[in-house]
Amino acid sequence: MSLLEINGLTHAFGDNLLYKNAELTLNKGEHIGIVGRNGTGKSTLIKICTGQVIPDAGQIIWQPRLSVGYLDQYAEMDHSLTMREFLKSAFKRMYEMEGEITALYERAAEGDTGLLGRAARLQEELENLDFYSIDTRIEQVSNGLGLSAIGLDRSIGQMSGGQRAKVILAKLLLEQPEVLLFDEPTNFLDREHVAWLASYLSGLEHAFLVVSHDYGFLDKIANRICDIDNGTITKYYGIYSEFLKKKTLLREDYVRQYAAQQREIKETEEFIRKNIAGRKSRMARGRQKQLDRMEKMEKMDRKEIKPLFHFPELPLTNTEHLAVRHLAVGYQYPVLSDLDFSIGGGQKVAITGFNGIGKSTLLKTLAGQIPSLRGSYKFSDQVVPGYFEQELKWNDKTMTPMELISDARPDFAGKEVRKNLARCGISSEHAMQPIGTLSGGEQAKVKMCLLTLKPCNFLILDEPTNHLDVLAKEALKEALAEFPGTVLLVSHEEVFYRDLVQRVINIGKG
Ligand SMILES: Nc1ncnc2c1ncn2[C@@H]1O[C@H](COP(=O)(O)OP(=O)(O)OP(=O)(O)O)[C@@H](O)[C@H]1O
Ligand SMILES: [Mg+2]
């Protein structure tokens, strides 16, 4: 029996039909990557699997008594726990067994020796569960995800949102459920942690479903691809690059068959028109019947419109734009100290390095969102910055993209607002929908649109490719390439920035 079987799945939000009679199965040991353009319904599919969204129609059949783990970045956590305590709670059941064993031995010591057998059985079970390697396992996962660098004795309450998401991921991996469900797990990870997670997942015996737009990552972890496109879910066997080839071939095939059918239809219609009243009238009527009965192929929906981002520029000279001297950044505690670097006007720079803590903190400091702890940073007088922060945060989630853009540019007429949004890949229906109900990619595009409203000459971008699909990433890369101003960028996707930046600043820790 399959671990999960979905049949006849149909779901729509208003007029927006996501799937029509779609199906999907997950078998033992399958590593499935879920792909598709922004807004095709990947996150919704995961939520349907977990029961958070009830579809309009369809059966979702899980194998009974299966343990399923789902990465919920927004899960409630007890903030007074240390990270180590939180991670240990992944093994709650085993600690309970250990407690029971101790109690049994105590009672045996008081004379009740009949309990020793049960204690021994529990002991054996614990050993089989690898109870005595828990500390090593916690260490492996925390090292891999860069949590050890923060310190396992730090309390959850003292951590940033991104760090908390990592701790939740770590706990989930330690629990080793029989099926894992992930929605874009690389969004809050650094490059080295993405690499670690990829090798961890690829070696896993258990099955998983992972949504991702990070194709290097998918190529490493998935042996099946489920493509959500045009209302259907298609499962392909093989890795991501094989899927791309197959999909292109299938598409070309379809286009060929469709063209052939269209030709046939046209010729038949021509024949009928010429002959319906003449000598061959009977034949023409026969042809008409044939035509009526023909199963007609639908024209391939070519909705793949690439967004166009354009960052309006301000003049600049190529003198020093930013000077950072002995800078320390952080919160109650410094995360990074003694930073020293400068960036010249018009330079494009990526920041990499140090294990998992602080690149966002540095960018937040430079953008003036949090105070610096020591040292200084100075922008030249001509600099007008624009900042794209990593998280999708909205003050009011019920506001629509139309309202958000109008608020930022009260001088825009409604038509202009709509045009700007459309250019960034937001359809007119989505422009009228509360921002909180938009998909991750759609929200990121609105955020990008906001950034294009105000001319600047220094862009500070924190993981700008998160949530964006292939076409949107391409569009962003093109926009940055033609932007003449300075760009300071943090991204875990090396393929995105490698040929875009002239310089990589690698910051060592401490
Ligand atoms: N509660 C809701 N009300 C109305 N529309 C919604 C709601 N939730 C999602 N949608 C719409 O349904 C579509 C699918 O959303 P979903 O989040 O599943 O997309 P996705 O494939 O995960 O996209 P992305 O790649 O951007 O993460 C989107 O167009 C979104 O705007
Ligand atoms: Mg999504």
Side-chain angles (χ1 to χ4, degrees):
M1 181 188 180
S2 312
L3 302 175
L4 170 66
E5 208 177 303
I6 299 181
N7 292 312
L9 179 68
T10 297
H11 192 64
F13 288 110
D15 292 340
N16 185 3
L17 180 66
L18 298 186
Y19 339 95
K20 199 170 131 196
N21 206 9
E23 55 183 37
L24 167 72
T25 52
L26 173 66
N27 298 310
K28 222 173 150 215
E30 277 188 327
H31 293 173
I32 300 187
I34 301 180
V35 303
R37 293 189 320 270
N38 289 136
T40 51
K42 300 175 295 296
S43 300
T44 306
L45 181 65
I46 295 282
K47 287 183 191 152
I48 286 173
C49 292
T50 61
Q52 289 163 282
V53 168
I54 308 294
D56 297 342
Q59 289 105 37
I60 290 85
I61 307 159
W62 281 101
Q63 191 178 23
R65 287 178 297 283
L66 199 66
S67 60
V68 180
Y70 161 59
L71 181 68
D72 182 3
Q73 281 184 54
Y74 306 101
E76 290 289 322
M77 298 163 90
D78 178 352
H79 284 202
S80 67
L81 290 181
T82 66
M83 205 167 1
R84 193 189 307 279
E85 287 164 343
F86 180 77
L87 292 179
K88 279 192 166 172
S89 68
F91 306 101
K92 202 166 139 233
R93 172 79 195 99
M94 291 190 223
Y95 282 109
E96 282 165 5
M97 282 162 68
E98 191 196 27
E100 199 181 328
I101 294 172
T102 317
L104 287 170
Y105 277 129
E106 273 165 16
R107 280 165 61 193
E110 285 158 13
D112 197 353
T113 48
L115 298 171
L116 284 177
R118 170 153 174 79
R121 268 196 309 281
L122 279 174
Q123 186 70 46
E124 198 184 319
E125 203 180 320
L126 265 190
E127 271 160 37
N128 286 340
L129 288 170
D130 232 359
F131 178 64
Y132 299 97
S133 71
I134 284 182
D135 288 332
T136 326
R137 277 192 265 167
I138 289 183
E139 218 161 279
Q140 272 169 1
V141 173
S142 333
N143 283 342
L145 293 175
L147 294 170
S148 309
I150 307 168
L152 290 184
D153 296 314
R154 192 181 303 282
S155 75
I156 305 280
Q158 273 190 334
M159 299 168 67
S160 71
Q163 292 171 340
R164 256 176 238 156
K166 272 187 205 167
V167 184
I168 294 173
L169 172 61
K171 180 176 169 220
L172 190 59
L173 297 180
L174 288 168
E175 282 170 343
Q176 296 190 304
E178 288 159 283
V179 175
L180 279 166
L181 305 174
F182 286 139
D183 193 356
E184 302 196 36
T186 61
N187 277 358
F188 52 86
L189 297 179
D190 281 329
R191 201 156 61 91
E192 62 266 43
H193 309 133
V194 173
W196 180 86
L197 182 65
S199 76
Y200 182 93
L201 289 179
S202 65
L204 207 62
E205 267 176 50
H206 290 167
F208 56 72
L209 286 173
V210 174
V211 176
S212 181
H213 293 294
D214 188 338
Y215 299 122
F217 176 70
L218 277 181
D219 241 347
K220 293 197 196 93
I221 62 159
N223 52 23
R224 310 270 188 275
I225 295 293
C226 277
D227 179 36
I228 309 189
D229 189 11
N230 229 334
T232 61
I233 306 176
T234 315
K235 186 167 173 182
Y236 294 82
Y237 290 76
I239 64 171
Y240 181 76
S241 15
E242 291 168 321
F243 146 75
L244 272 189
K245 271 183 235 148
K246 278 186 209 160
K247 185 166 178 179
T248 315
L249 286 180
L250 282 176
R251 195 175 260 169
E252 286 168 2
D253 232 34
Y254 191 96
V255 170
R256 239 192 324 272
Q257 284 178 24
Y258 176 80
Q261 193 183 51
Q262 288 300 307
R263 236 183 351 262
E264 194 190 329
I265 293 174
K266 227 171 120 200
E267 280 165 15
T268 313
E269 281 170 351
E270 187 78 20
F271 179 88
I272 296 167
R273 197 175 46 80
K274 275 199 198 135
N275 297 298
I276 194 75
R279 219 163 20 87
K280 292 185 187 161
S281 167
R282 251 181 67 191
M283 221 159 133
R285 278 199 303 275
R287 288 282 188 93
Q288 181 64 52
K289 259 192 212 135
Q290 222 177 9
L291 195 60
D292 293 341
R293 255 183 274 135
M294 181 192 261
E295 213 172 288
K296 297 194 186 61
M297 295 170 76
E298 273 177 49
K299 187 163 186 187
M300 179 112 53
D301 196 1
R302 282 240 141 251
K303 267 193 296 194
E304 296 202 4
I305 302 165
K306 188 165 163 179
L308 178 78
F309 302 117
H310 173 73
F311 300 107
E313 74 229 41
L314 286 177
L316 71 152
T317 61
N318 54 10
T319 51
E320 191 173 77
H321 253 186
L322 170 67
V324 172
R325 300 283 170 259
H326 306 296
L327 182 68
V329 298
Y331 303 89
Q332 300 94 330
Y333 52 95
V335 159
L336 276 172
S337 36
D338 230 3
L339 296 170
D340 254 305
F341 61 87
S342 351
I343 294 175
Q347 256 188 7
K348 297 196 172 73
V349 178
I351 294 193
T352 64
F354 61 84
N355 198 13
I357 38 172
K359 285 191 280 276
S360 291
T361 313
L362 171 62
L363 294 200
K364 273 191 188 129
T365 311
L366 295 178
Q369 306 264 313
I370 56 173
S372 61
L373 300 183
R374 267 193 311 277
S376 68
Y377 65 92
K378 194 169 173 0
F379 289 101
S380 85
D381 290 338
Q382 65 172 214
V383 167
V384 176
Y387 173 49
F388 185 90
E389 70 178 319
Q390 184 174 2
E391 289 101 43
L392 295 171
K393 273 193 308 211
W394 307 101
N395 288 333
D396 180 356
K397 286 193 177 171
T398 64
M399 279 178 81
T400 65
M402 282 293 283
E403 291 166 344
L404 286 160
I405 303 295
S406 306
D407 271 13
R409 287 296 299 262
D411 56 316
F412 273 6
K415 214 171 91 192
E416 229 167 332
V417 174
R418 234 178 275 265
K419 204 173 80 192
N420 272 275
L421 282 166
R423 219 189 268 147
C424 293
I426 300 296
S427 69
S428 48
E429 295 96 70
H430 285 142
M432 310 288 276
Q433 208 172 296
I435 190 89
T437 65
L438 293 186
S439 79
E442 289 159 356
Q443 292 187 34
K445 285 171 186 166
V446 175
K447 229 173 82 176
M448 207 52 87
C449 186
L450 283 165
L451 189 61
T452 63
L453 296 179
K454 197 180 112 225
C456 73
N457 52 22
F458 197 123
L459 283 170
I460 301 175
L461 306 170
D462 196 354
E463 297 288 0
T465 62
N466 274 356
H467 307 285
L468 295 183
D469 60 23
V470 181
L471 288 176
K473 272 188 225 185
E474 267 176 36
L476 178 62
K477 196 165 175 172
E478 286 159 14
L480 291 177
E482 69 173 29
F483 179 67
T486 312
V487 177
L488 180 60
L489 171 89
V490 167
S491 166
H492 67 264
E493 288 192 73
E494 198 183 342
V495 284
F496 177 75
Y497 66 77
R498 203 171 30 210
D499 43 351
L500 184 68
V501 301
Q502 294 108 32
R503 202 175 135 205
V504 175
I505 300 183
N506 189 298
I507 303 176
K509 199 177 170 256

